[in-house]
Amino acid sequence: MPSLGITSGTDVAAWEKQRTVLLDTLLTEEYGRRPVERPDSLKFEKVYPDAKLRKPKYGMDAVRKVMFCRYKGPFGEDNFRFTAFIPSGAKGPVPAFVFICNRNPGVNIDPTRKQKSEFWPAEEIVNRGYAAIAFWNEQLASDHHTAFSTGVFRCFDDPSKPRAADAWGVLSAWAWGASRVMDWIETEPSIDKDHVAVVGHSRGGKTALLAGATDRRFAMAVSNCSGCSGAKMHRYVGPRVELIDRIYAACPFWFCPNFAKWRGKDTEVPFDQHWLVAQMAPRLVYVNSAEGDPWAGPKGEKESVDLAEPAWTVYGRNGCTAYHCRAGIHDLKLEDWNRFMDFTDAHGWRGIENAKQ
């Protein structure tokens, strides 16, 4: 099993240097490198005027903001939209959860709230004192073999040239979108930009970890049932667990071309997913599994969290990682969301008196 190579005696400067090497390896061999971060052309526009929502009709007292994020690249321009529900009446800026939605947006992140789903329980999030923000991942790039002709790729990638071995894949494109939402949060005075979590389920969970690793403005990353190339250790090859060969065969566009060379070599890769989890130190990270989800390899997800722990020891921090495995299948439930919020509550995100420091 590869090691982080750090101990409680390692100093912060040494770990920060090593962190860069570990992330560089993950980008080179698995997720790919982006040609752009925040483009100069980036701008935000309201899709329609802000709305004040009130109980009992809407189940929450909130301001709804629906925004366009517009951007241009050397080969085109595009946009995506996101929705924010921000608690009304707060004494100051509120913490937030940014949700990367990988399911039908009309059903799961409906801004009108005519359709409600515990996949993104905006009402419960707002009533706990947090802003609930969500966007649909496929606005950034389609979840299909045609992905590289859509969204960010058609704007920033030269279509006349073959893809480089370390060219960014779709997971990275979706994570790029989360960072652009973070750009907007920094302009929104009602949201506490220092206490923002990025959350995702399944492929969205992989994306959330990558977003947290590549953008240190996120104070927490939440990976729900993310499995292979998410929180699960590649070297965990238990029964009915998805491995590199299977995930690459199904979705090669999620990754950089280099990842193909590790097909069938899960126990031989010179990197592993605890490296990705450890990128969050000294910030918060939460990994969640489900007992009825062997495909995601819950034991391998827990192992990843355990092996990443030394990264927090370097900073003298403890209690900054969390893991739970609930009953049930591959899904994101209200029970999970409440645990995520319990965790941030305990870390003082809403100024709780007995919060951990």
Side-chain angles (χ1 to χ4, degrees), residues 11 15 23 66 89 114 120 175 188 191 236 254 259 273 286-287 312 314-315 341-342 348 352 354:
D11 62 46
W15 161 239
L23 181 59
V66 183
K114 293 178 181 178
W120 184 56
E188 178 51 56
I191 299 177
Y236 176 73
W254 285 358
F259 198 45
Q273 296 308 107
Y286 200 121
V287 173
W312 280 265
V314 169
Y315 300 94
M341 291 185 282
D342 288 345
I352 294 174
N354 63 348

Side-chain angles (χ1 to χ4, degrees), residues 70-81:
R70 300 189 184 277
Y71 56 90
K72 296 179 182 178
F75 307 104
E77 59 184 271
D78 210 333
N79 67 83
F80 69 98
R81 68 169 63 187

Side-chain angles (χ1 to χ4, degrees), residues 8 49 136 147 171 179 223 242 271 282 305 307 315:
S8 58
W136 184 42
L171 294 177
S179 288
S223 161
E242 184 175 34
F271 54 91
V305 176
L307 288 172
Y315 300 94

Side-chain angles (χ1 to χ4, degrees), residues 210-241:
L210 184 59
T214 55
D215 190 339
R216 295 177 72 172
R217 294 176 298 174
F218 288 112
M220 175 166 137
V222 180
S223 161
N224 186 78
C225 298
S226 60
C228 184
S229 73
K232 185 192 78 69
M233 297 291 291
H234 288 310
R235 296 192 178 211
Y236 176 73
V237 293
R240 295 189 291 162
V241 173

Side-chain angles (χ1 to χ4, degrees), residues 129-183:
Y130 294 87
I133 306 171
F135 69 94
W136 184 42
N137 61 336
E138 290 199 51
Q139 296 176 99
L140 280 302
S142 71
D143 193 8
H144 189 265
H145 290 270
T146 60
F148 301 125
S149 63
T150 68
V152 294
F153 294 108
R154 72 179 184 86
C155 295
F156 299 109
D157 286 5
D158 187 341
S160 69
K161 295 181 180 179
R163 300 191 74 234
D166 63 350
W168 60 333
V170 168
L171 294 177
S172 185
W174 296 339
W176 183 91
S179 288
R180 305 292 68 81
V181 174
M182 189 69 204
D183 291 336

